[in-house]
Amino acid sequence: MGPAATVDLMAKVIALTPAARDQDHVPLVVWSIPQIAERVPAVEGRGPSPLAMMLEGVRALEAAQCSAFAIACNTAHHWAGELAAATRIPLLHIADAAVAAVLRQAVRPRRIALLGTRGTIRSGFYQMRLDEAKLPWSTAADTGAEATAGIEAAIDAVKRNRLAEARQAFAPAARRLLDSGCDLLLLACTELPMASAGSGLEAQCLDTNHALAEAIVNHSLAGRSPTAGAPVGRHLS
Amino acid sequence: MGPAATVDLMAKVIALTPAARDQDHVPLVVWSIPQIAERVPAVEGRGPSPLAMMLEGVRALEAAQCSAFAIACNTAHHWAGELAAATRIPLLHIADAAVAAVLRQAVRPRRIALLGTRGTIRSGFYQMRLDEAKLPWSTAADTGAEATAGIEAAIDAVKRNRLAEARQAFAPAARRLLDSGCDLLLLACTELPMASAGSGLEAQCLDTNHALAEAIVNHSLAGRSPTAGAPVGRHLS
């Protein structure tokens, strides 16, 4: 729910939209209120829940007549069930989008390295979907505490806008996972693409924010009438 | 009201905000509905008005409890009076922000080249403010039809995402204005920073979207309480 991930998602939606003029672009309402409880401590039961503020955002997007909503934060999908239950409009789930993007690739990966916050990994919503899709996976923890610490340090550095530091933390942890038999790095944290950029490992990365942007554009194009379209809401605290 | 200008403004707000963690960032609600009537033909009386849809956006931002609103499109400020009259929350006017940014510069410009759409130039809200601030100005039209055509072609190329073409159209028109005695290029169209980037003329440009981002951050910091802040709305169709 860092605002940089929101902007990154919006830029990807624009880039992925076939548009010859302003009016061809996806209508969006964006709720970017970063004054929300930290997600990772909440998942771990060590801090207040962000759910009430996220519900407020989802209701605001529904009131703005959005036809669907999406969240530019993987960890926040821990509360996907509660959020979806509170509104009539569908959630475009980032893990559904990511698994669909993996399955669209020309070559099926042998083993996926699932990289995210402690909250995302603990929540298990990626692992469940990867198992359902019969896609083998490992987490950083499977190769040791050092790789886990590297991924967490990379995420934290992006949040503090220290991109060089983020890259330095990301690359060795990512290489360790590739050396352990993974051939696809699933960046299941929307800060990680900023840490992998310039690492030389981009070709082996799948950016879940990019996959989510594809899902948003596809939703918008599918519902488009010749004259107008309901906006796609994004609860992006 | 191209969505790229919206994303550009949001990225500038993030970059200008002193933030050590997500929660320090400016809370924003963004209304980015590009399915709105073209602004320039409307100002020229040749097309339908975008006002009703802009009013809808402003009312949605007020309902979302925003403390102010801003518009990432210079031409749309032609309707600033009607928009401000329809809501209790103040408009952070892009031309006020731009003139304030000019006056903050260490050296007062001798003559400002005012570059924008035909609609913005015709509307006159920049010229009025520059006159009030005793800042001499010229428009592209003052140096001939070729410079005007160059600026309009640059704006149009950015809207079609042809940045190399935009740069080629921008640079000769901008140089003509500098040769005619202007020493500051006021980019009074939110597409123009993307045309000036890489032109070699960046140091002589003042980006009104950057000035607006400064105004948004200042508004947010001024109103910030220790625990929470009302979001800054942006009507960004």
Side-chain angles (χ1 to χ4, degrees):
Chain A
M1 309 223 144
T6 304
V7 167
D8 181 57
L9 178 62
M10 293 173 75
K12 283 167 180 160
V13 168
I14 295 172
L16 288 167
T17 303
R21 47 187 201 126
D22 287 350
Q23 288 79 3
D24 295 334
H25 281 282
V26 177
L28 294 169
V29 180
V30 183
W31 188 263
S32 177
I33 315 291
Q35 286 70 30
I36 189 169
E38 291 285 351
R39 278 70 62 199
V40 174
V43 173
E44 296 181 331
R46 305 185 281 109
S49 170
L51 180 59
M53 274 190 69
M54 290 170 68
L55 285 170
E56 187 189 339
V58 169
R59 289 189 190 116
L61 295 173
E62 184 175 0
Q65 303 192 25
C66 293
S67 61
F69 73 107
I71 310 171
C73 170
N74 278 280
T75 313
H77 283 73
H78 177 69
W79 294 274
E82 289 93 326
L83 294 170
T87 173
R88 289 174 295 102
I89 58 177
L91 169 65
L92 305 179
H93 196 298
I94 195 165
D96 288 338
V99 170
V102 172
L103 296 175
R104 272 199 306 273
Q105 292 195 329
V107 179
R108 182 72 56 103
R110 279 194 316 279
R111 179 166 288 275
I112 291 171
L114 175 62
L115 306 178
T117 64
R118 287 193 313 279
T120 295
I121 303 300
R122 177 165 170 159
S123 187
F125 56 85
Y126 267 100
Q127 294 92 318
M128 187 190 80
R129 285 168 172 79
L130 292 170
D131 286 344
E132 277 173 4
K134 309 245 185 298
L135 291 164
W137 53 268
S138 297
T139 64
D142 294 327
T143 66
E146 217 171 299
T148 310
I151 297 302
E152 288 177 8
I155 294 168
D156 188 55
V158 171
K159 285 194 182 288
R160 288 178 292 113
N161 210 24
R162 298 192 181 167
L163 298 187
E165 200 180 301
R167 228 166 279 144
Q168 277 174 359
F170 175 81
R175 274 201 208 92
R176 200 177 280 255
L177 277 149
L178 293 172
D179 290 345
S180 78
C182 295
D183 54 349
L184 178 71
L185 301 165
L186 187 62
L187 306 184
C189 172
T190 52
E191 320 286 351
L192 283 175
M194 288 165 262
S196 70
S199 68
L201 301 169
E202 297 92 331
Q204 283 136 296
C205 290
L206 193 141
D207 171 1
T208 55
N209 225 19
H210 188 277
L212 183 57
E214 289 177 311
I216 290 170
V217 172
N218 290 340
H219 169 85
S220 181
L221 293 178
R224 193 165 284 191
S225 79
T227 51
V232 180
R234 278 187 280 150
H235 181 284
L236 298 158
S237 294
Chain B
M1 307 223 146
T6 304
V7 167
D8 181 56
L9 178 61
M10 293 174 75
K12 284 168 180 158
V13 168
I14 294 171
L16 289 167
T17 302
R21 47 188 201 127
D22 287 352
Q23 288 80 3
D24 295 333
H25 281 282
V26 177
L28 295 169
V29 180
V30 183
W31 188 262
S32 176
I33 315 291
Q35 287 70 30
I36 189 169
E38 291 284 352
R39 280 69 61 197
V40 174
V43 173
E44 297 182 331
R46 303 185 282 108
S49 171
L51 180 59
M53 273 190 68
M54 289 169 68
L55 285 171
E56 189 188 338
V58 169
R59 288 191 191 113
L61 295 174
E62 185 175 358
Q65 303 192 29
C66 293
S67 61
F69 73 107
I71 310 171
C73 171
N74 279 279
T75 313
H77 283 74
H78 177 68
W79 293 274
E82 288 93 328
L83 294 171
T87 173
R88 289 174 294 102
I89 59 176
L91 169 65
L92 305 179
H93 196 297
I94 196 167
D96 289 338
V99 170
V102 171
L103 296 176
R104 272 199 305 274
Q105 292 194 330
V107 179
R108 182 71 57 102
R110 280 194 315 279
R111 178 166 288 276
I112 291 171
L114 175 62
L115 306 179
T117 64
R118 287 194 314 281
T120 295
I121 303 299
R122 178 167 170 159
S123 188
F125 56 84
Y126 268 101
Q127 297 92 318
M128 188 189 80
R129 284 169 172 78
L130 293 170
D131 287 344
E132 277 173 3
K134 310 247 186 294
L135 291 165
W137 53 268
S138 297
T139 65
D142 295 327
T143 68
E146 217 170 299
T148 311
I151 297 303
E152 289 177 8
I155 294 168
D156 189 55
V158 172
K159 283 192 184 292
R160 287 178 292 111
N161 210 24
R162 297 192 182 168
L163 296 187
E165 201 179 300
R167 228 166 278 145
Q168 277 176 359
F170 174 81
R175 275 201 206 92
R176 200 177 279 255
L177 277 148
L178 294 172
D179 290 345
S180 79
C182 294
D183 54 348
L184 178 72
L185 302 165
L186 187 62
L187 307 184
C189 171
T190 52
E191 320 286 352
L192 284 175
M194 287 164 261
S196 70
S199 68
L201 301 169
E202 298 91 333
Q204 283 136 298
C205 290
L206 192 141
D207 171 1
T208 55
N209 226 18
H210 188 277
L212 183 57
E214 290 178 310
I216 290 169
V217 173
N218 289 340
H219 169 84
S220 180
L221 293 179
R224 192 164 286 190
S225 79
T227 51
V232 180
R234 280 187 279 150
H235 181 286
L236 299 158
S237 294

